[in-house]
Amino acid sequence: MKRQLTPLSVILPIQFYCVSCQVNVAQSPPSLSGSEGQDSSLTCSYSGTARNVQWYRQAPGESPTLLGILYKDERATWGLNLRAELRTRDKHSCLNITEAQLQDAATYLCAVETQ
């Protein structure tokens, strides 16, 4: 039996900040919207030298919560469907959301701490 999915709008706005503003931080894409079950990828690019990159998630009406911190060329899995990696040579971090669920609809924030 084939499962029929009803398209649900999953909006994933992204905001980026620097902890020590000696770097420029850019986002790609500026925002995402998709359907339940889709995969999404968010990129946080920065200039300068990063000590670490921190990813946060802010659900509607709630305060941001820390997903995790990445250090030099580290990869991490947070929860069931969030995977992140930091590529220090390329000066960016990616957050991948696999098979997005309704509860993944949130604002994702990236903070860069410089050395």
Side-chain angles (χ1 to χ4, degrees), residues 77-83 96-99 101 103-104:
T77 300
W78 303 316
L80 297 174
N81 67 338
L82 298 175
R83 287 169 185 71
N96 299 301
I97 303 169
T98 56
E99 298 182 9
Q101 300 300 310
Q103 62 267 22
D104 294 320

Side-chain angles (χ1 to χ4, degrees), residues 26-85:
Q27 61 197 37
S28 177
S31 65
L32 290 171
S33 72
S35 298
E36 190 172 17
Q38 284 186 327
D39 295 346
S40 298
S41 182
L42 316 172
T43 301
C44 175
S45 300
Y46 57 89
S47 64
T49 304
R51 176 177 294 166
N52 65 59
V53 173
Q54 305 155 25
W55 283 96
Y56 295 85
R57 179 181 184 278
Q58 185 175 11
E62 296 182 15
S63 298
T65 57
L66 178 67
L67 291 171
I69 301 173
L70 298 170
Y71 295 90
K72 184 177 176 152
D73 298 319
E74 185 177 15
R75 292 182 181 183
T77 300
W78 303 316
L80 297 174
N81 67 338
L82 298 175
R83 287 169 185 71
E85 70 177 300

